[in-house]
Amino acid sequence: MSFKLDTPIDMHLHLREGKLLKDVLQWSAEQFAAGVIMPNLVPPVDNMDRLRKYRKEILENLKEKQFTPLMTLFLRHYSYRELEEAKGEIFSIKLYPKGITTNSEKGVSSIEEFYPVFEIMEELEIPLSVHGETNGFVLDREREFAPIYIQLAERFPKLKIIMEHISTKELAELVRDYPNLYATVTLHHLLFTLDDLAGGRLNPHFFCKPILKTPVDRAVLQRLVREGHPRVMFGSDSAPHILRDKLKGAAGVFSAPVALPLLAHFFDGDWKGLQRFISDNARRNFNLQIPEKEVEILEIPWEVPHIVGEVIPLLAGERLRFRVRGIG
């Protein structure tokens, strides 16, 4: 059995730079037509010169694979002129709370300080992507951020706000309440819980931010995705770290190699639902004009590689039911 996906898009992707980028890029480029590339590098991608150089590095390492990097800028105090210049070359601007995740030391301490930037973005129709967590207790950080999403949605009703990697019941319900709130859901939050990280032997390859949550949270996310909510989209948040750093506690799940095989298993026969989640919703919500690409999924057992470069992928060494044609 096989089926084909039309122009899959990863709406949240970390590629890093240098050798790490070269090692991991092929896994996304083989499975997706495009990816929204995160800007939390060192230094952050917060100006057009830096963004253009980063995009060039990605394109030069594609090795003739068809893949469109949808670039993002790291939030800072931009002028109208800067954003007007950037509009044609970026997908969104990314808000990171200060110190909340990888390379976010230059993130936001006060949301209100950035209201003038959000007003410009609203006028220019530039979406705002948000890593929505506070610095509270780790399991409550996303839940505590919900009032900030409400505050932004109500104050800037024409601003498209993407709640990235939602993982709680509260945020899954919140996306229904405001027409300018959108959400991405990762593979790991959709399929796993805190038990997979720490219920038995500690497994650092499941450690991410936001952290995996409860079975109740997962069940609500799964219902939201299966029902095909039009403002809910796939974003892997695939975030590679070399093994040495991962064993020191770096947050991030490298899920790129298994993205489509595991999503095929999750939807298992509801290929129209998978197509909506993996592409149609994103293209419609943001009028994404990217070259079409057909990706074939085969129901043929496939073993996940034990290591990619110096990075351990999610479910390394396990045997999966589906594979992507051209991989493995």
Side-chain angles (χ1 to χ4, degrees), residues 257-270:
V258 299
L260 292 187
L262 285 182
L263 285 174
H265 186 82
F266 175 77
F267 280 91
D268 197 9
D270 180 14

Side-chain angles (χ1 to χ4, degrees), residues 6 104 124 178:
D6 176 19
S104 61
L124 294 176
Y178 293 89

Side-chain angles (χ1 to χ4, degrees), residues 23 33 35 50 60 83 109 117 124 126-127 129 135 146 178-179 189 227 246 248 257 272 298 328:
D23 288 339
R50 176 86 163 107
E60 287 177 345
L83 293 186
S109 297
V117 180
L124 294 176
I126 297 173
S129 300
N135 278 306
Y178 293 89
H189 292 114
E227 75 180 30
K246 202 75 183 85
K248 291 179 179 178
K272 289 184 179 179
L298 309 173

Side-chain angles (χ1 to χ4, degrees), residues 39-244:
N40 56 328
L41 305 178
V42 180
V45 181
D46 65 356
N47 63 78
M48 290 309 296
D49 181 59
R50 176 86 163 107
L51 182 142
R52 288 166 182 150
K53 289 178 179 176
Y54 187 31
R55 181 175 56 206
K56 181 181 179 184
E57 181 183 9
I58 296 169
L59 294 174
E60 287 177 345
N61 283 283
L62 281 176
K63 299 178 182 178
E64 300 183 355
K65 289 184 174 67
Q66 180 188 327
F67 180 81
T68 301
L70 302 170
M71 307 304 292
T72 60
L73 284 172
F74 194 101
L75 179 63
R76 62 169 173 81
H77 290 285
Y78 293 98
S79 68
Y80 188 97
R81 183 175 178 178
E82 284 177 310
L83 293 186
E84 192 174 34
E85 176 193 357
K87 177 178 167 56
E89 298 185 50
I90 65 172
F91 168 73
S92 70
I93 293 177
K94 181 68 179 280
L95 186 162
Y96 290 95
K98 182 178 177 64
I100 202 64
T101 191
T102 304
N103 300 335
S104 61
E105 290 73 22
K106 293 190 176 181
V108 172
S109 297
S110 167
I111 298 290
E112 289 79 6
E113 278 186 30
F114 289 87
Y115 279 1
V117 180
F118 300 151
E119 289 172 359
I120 299 171
M121 292 171 61
E122 189 175 40
E123 180 181 340
L124 294 176
E125 299 182 337
I126 297 173
L128 174 67
S129 300
V130 183
H131 182 121
E133 289 192 281
T134 69
N135 278 306
F137 176 64
V138 68
L139 285 177
D140 295 333
R141 290 175 180 181
E142 267 196 306
R143 306 179 209 281
E144 292 173 350
F145 203 88
I148 298 175
Y149 279 129
I150 294 171
Q151 172 187 342
L152 290 172
E154 292 181 346
R155 188 175 181 96
F156 304 98
K158 295 182 180 179
L159 178 65
K160 291 186 174 183
I161 301 164
I162 305 168
M163 301 188 295
E164 299 280 20
H165 44 52
I166 64 170
S167 66
T168 67
K169 174 179 179 289
E170 290 79 6
L171 294 191
E173 294 170 348
L174 187 60
V175 75
R176 304 177 190 277
D177 296 338
Y178 293 89
N180 60 329
L181 285 183
Y182 301 77
T184 62
V185 178
T186 76
L187 194 65
H188 42 286
H189 292 114
L190 188 64
L191 300 182
F192 304 106
T193 70
L194 188 59
D195 262 353
D196 295 287
L197 168 64
R201 295 184 64 183
L202 184 66
N203 188 336
H205 305 295
F206 279 97
F207 177 55
C208 56
K209 293 184 178 180
I211 201 165
L212 296 174
K213 300 299 193 302
T214 70
V216 171
D217 293 305
R218 179 181 61 179
V220 173
L221 274 186
Q222 289 181 343
R223 285 198 298 271
L224 182 70
V225 169
R226 282 201 169 104
E227 75 180 30
H229 191 288
R231 295 195 306 280
V232 174
M233 306 156 292
F234 176 67
S236 72
D237 193 18
S238 181
H241 293 279
I242 63 173
L243 182 58
R244 180 183 66 249

Side-chain angles (χ1 to χ4, degrees), residues 7-15 25 28-29 31-38 54-55 58 62 66-72 89-92 234-237 278 282 288 290-291 293:
T7 316
I9 302 168
D10 186 340
M11 294 294 288
H12 185 136
L13 179 62
H14 297 269
L15 291 177
L25 176 59
S28 294
Q31 298 182 68
F32 293 92
V36 176
I37 312 302
M38 294 298 106
Y54 187 31
R55 181 175 56 206
I58 296 169
L62 281 176
Q66 180 188 327
F67 180 81
T68 301
L70 302 170
M71 307 304 292
T72 60
E89 298 185 50
I90 65 172
F91 168 73
S92 70
F234 176 67
S236 72
D237 193 18
I278 203 75
L288 295 177
I290 58 178
K293 175 178 178 177

